[in-house]
């Protein structure tokens, strides 16, 4: 019974693999809310945003006082690092890290950075806490806030739920997605919806507290891998940024989270009935969208990334905004490619 299939009497093929069964079933799914270019765009967007919010569980979340707290402030070689906490839901706080240049005049544009499945948001500041952090910084180029400051931005790293200091389990280094994701599903929520919610609520607070030093003009929301996924979903709801840069995250559901085994935080119940990743671009366009993929990405294969971007390009073209989206393809593995991105 180790074999996936057994041949009986030379004719009948039977399968004992539920995964292969799901893959075959998935081939017959066409998202019901795929934009055809003919429907009234405003009505279609209203239907899509309501359905996506329902699927992510955003209707289960409520605004609350931000209860802003500064945890520490230190001077690094790359800038001034302020570690603070923001209450995004009643009783839940997100760790956040602001990196500003040592000196500057006026206001600088904001770059919000989201880490993926690494040891935590401290990597955005180039800070090493765990033994493998040096590898993440060298091979994955994930010192996002450091890069942002070098390019004239103020960097803000938000610790995502299930990651780093918001993993919820001190014994785990880096991630605790599965337990968090599954417990959210029990309540009609999703961890990706919670991460999107945190981006919006932290931004509310930061604009209020630091509005004298930062501006949303030329602002960026970016992330890699799990951070890129959160960036892409957040772009559907949060319109205050000028540019959205999901790195190493966009791919068809078929080629990534169906064909491959992924972390549970990638899965949204029933979403394939309504959308594939590219279909969500109808909620992002005409905002500037930069998709970063890689030739040897083993988690979000290039084939599926190219096919989804092709549909995204079609959506932007239908909305007369084709110049506002592009795909950058890095030569190499699952990683962030800062030179081409910046």
């Amino acid at each position: 019974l180790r074999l996936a299939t057994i041949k009986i009497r030379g004719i009948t093929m039977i399968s004992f693999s539920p995964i292969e069964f799901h893959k075959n079933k998935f081939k017959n799914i066409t998202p019901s809310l795929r934009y055809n270019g003919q429907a009234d765009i405003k009505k279609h967007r209203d239907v899509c945003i309501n359905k996506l919010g329902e699927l992510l569980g955003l209707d289960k979340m409520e605004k609350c006082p931000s209860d802003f707290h500064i945890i520490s402030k230190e001077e690094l070689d790359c800038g001034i690092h302020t570690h603070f906490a923001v209450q995004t839901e009643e009783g839940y706080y997100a760790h956040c890290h602001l990196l500003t240049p040592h000196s500057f005049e006026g206001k600088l544009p904001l770059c919000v950075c989201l880490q993926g499945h690494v040891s935590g948001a401290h990597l955005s500041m180039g800070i090493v806490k765990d033994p493998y952090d040096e590898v993440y910084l060298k091979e994955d180029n994930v010192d996002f806030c450091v890069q942002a400051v070098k390019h004239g931005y103020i960097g803000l790293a938000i610790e995502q739920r299930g990651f780093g200091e918001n993993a919820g389990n001190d014994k785990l280094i880096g991630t605790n997605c599965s337990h968090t994701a599954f417990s959210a599903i029990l309540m009609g929520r999703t961890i990706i919806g919670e991460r999107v919610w945190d981006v919006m609520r932290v931004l509310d607070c930061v604009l209020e507290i630091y509005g004298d030093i930062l501006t949303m003009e030329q602002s960026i929301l970016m992330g890699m891998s799990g951070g890129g996924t959160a960036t892409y979903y957040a772009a559907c709801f949060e319109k205050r940024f000028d540019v959205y840069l999901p790195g190493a995250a966009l791919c068809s559901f078929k080629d990534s989270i169906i064909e491959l085994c992924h972390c549970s935080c990638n899965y949204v119940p029933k979403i394939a009935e309504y959308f594939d990743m590219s279909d969500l671009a109808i909620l992002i366009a005409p905002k500037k969208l930069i998709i970063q993929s890689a030739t040897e990405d083993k988690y979000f294969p290039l084939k599926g990334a190219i096919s989804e971007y092709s549909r995204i390009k079609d959506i932007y073209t239908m909305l007369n905004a084709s110049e506002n989206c592009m795909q950058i393809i890095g030569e190499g593995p699952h990683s962030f490619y800062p030179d081409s991105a910046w």
Side-chain angles (χ1 to χ4, degrees):
L1 293 184
R2 292 178 182 175
L3 297 178
T5 59
I6 296 178
K7 194 171 185 179
I8 298 179
R9 296 174 185 168
I11 301 175
T12 306
M13 300 291 288
I14 63 175
S15 172
F16 295 100
S17 170
I19 296 174
E20 293 303 317
F21 175 74
H22 286 167
K23 289 179 182 179
N24 288 327
K25 293 284 288 183
F26 199 84
K27 293 176 183 178
N28 299 320
I29 294 178
T30 299
S32 63
L33 291 181
R34 175 160 292 168
Y35 185 59
N36 58 15
Q38 299 174 357
D40 179 271
I41 183 65
K42 184 180 184 306
K43 290 181 180 179
H44 184 75
R45 278 176 168 158
D46 288 343
V47 172
C48 288
I49 200 71
N50 289 334
K51 176 53 68 174
L52 183 60
E54 174 191 326
L55 293 170
L56 296 182
L58 292 178
D59 56 333
K60 303 291 194 300
M61 303 171 201
E62 297 181 357
K63 291 184 179 182
C64 66
S66 59
D67 195 23
F68 173 86
H69 292 281
I70 290 181
I71 297 173
S72 64
K73 194 169 184 177
E74 61 181 335
E75 186 166 338
L76 305 175
D77 291 342
C78 54
I80 306 300
H81 169 216
T82 304
H83 180 187
F84 63 91
V86 175
Q87 182 177 231
T88 59
E89 291 190 85
E90 192 70 40
Y92 175 79
Y93 290 77
H95 281 277
C96 304
H97 303 265
L98 195 75
L99 188 66
T100 58
H102 291 291
S103 63
F104 62 97
E105 296 180 0
K107 296 183 179 183
L108 297 180
L110 177 67
C111 179
V112 172
C113 313
L114 304 176
Q115 292 288 349
H117 291 75
V118 291
S119 59
H122 59 275
L123 285 169
S124 284
M125 260 62 57
I127 295 173
V128 174
K129 286 186 176 181
D130 300 308
Y132 204 73
D133 283 353
E134 293 280 8
V135 177
Y136 286 133
L137 291 170
K138 182 178 180 180
E139 297 185 0
D140 293 338
N141 305 305
V142 292
D143 55 342
F144 299 137
C145 286
V146 177
Q147 296 172 33
V149 168
K150 286 181 179 178
H151 286 85
Y153 291 82
I154 287 176
L156 170 63
I158 303 172
E159 192 81 270
Q160 295 200 82
R161 300 198 196 195
F163 293 159
E165 293 177 294
N166 283 97
N169 187 336
D170 294 337
K171 295 180 181 179
L172 295 176
I173 295 177
T175 65
N176 183 23
C177 284
S178 294
H179 192 181
T180 309
F182 292 143
S183 60
I185 288 172
L186 286 177
M187 298 179 285
R189 302 158 70 102
T190 63
I191 190 172
I192 192 65
E194 292 175 334
R195 290 170 178 172
V196 168
W197 181 265
D198 290 346
V199 169
M200 296 189 290
R201 301 289 73 83
V202 170
L203 183 59
D204 288 343
C205 177
V206 166
L207 290 178
E208 180 181 349
I209 301 294
Y210 294 104
D212 60 328
I213 63 170
L214 58 81
T215 175
M216 294 304 289
E217 293 184 14
Q218 301 181 20
S219 60
I220 303 172
L221 175 61
M222 62 175 289
M224 177 203 154
S225 194
T229 301
T231 295
Y232 190 73
Y233 279 101
C236 298
F237 297 93
E238 179 50 76
K239 303 301 181 183
R240 287 175 283 186
F241 294 94
D242 280 346
V243 180
Y244 300 85
L245 200 169
L250 183 110
C251 192
S252 66
F253 291 147
K254 173 187 176 298
D255 289 294
S256 56
I257 62 175
I258 291 294
E259 288 292 331
L260 305 172
C261 181
H262 269 264
C263 179
S264 52
C265 65
N266 287 281
Y267 298 87
V268 176
K270 298 181 70 173
I271 193 170
E273 294 182 21
Y274 304 97
F275 309 102
D276 207 329
M277 287 291 277
S278 59
D279 298 310
L280 299 179
I282 197 67
L283 298 173
I284 303 172
K287 285 286 189 173
K288 292 177 182 176
L289 177 65
I290 302 171
I291 304 297
Q292 188 171 80
S293 307
T295 56
E296 305 300 325
D297 195 323
K298 63 181 180 179
Y299 303 109
F300 301 94
L302 186 59
K303 174 186 174 184
I306 289 177
S307 66
E308 287 303 280
Y309 177 71
S310 176
R311 191 174 293 121
I312 290 173
K313 188 71 172 182
D314 289 343
I315 290 172
Y316 269 73
T317 300
M318 284 188 284
L319 298 178
N320 299 314
S322 60
E323 72 282 0
N324 283 357
C325 70
M326 68 185 304
Q327 183 177 39
I328 299 170
I329 300 176
E331 293 288 337
H334 181 73
S335 181
F336 183 69
Y337 293 84
D339 292 341
S340 58
W342 287 107

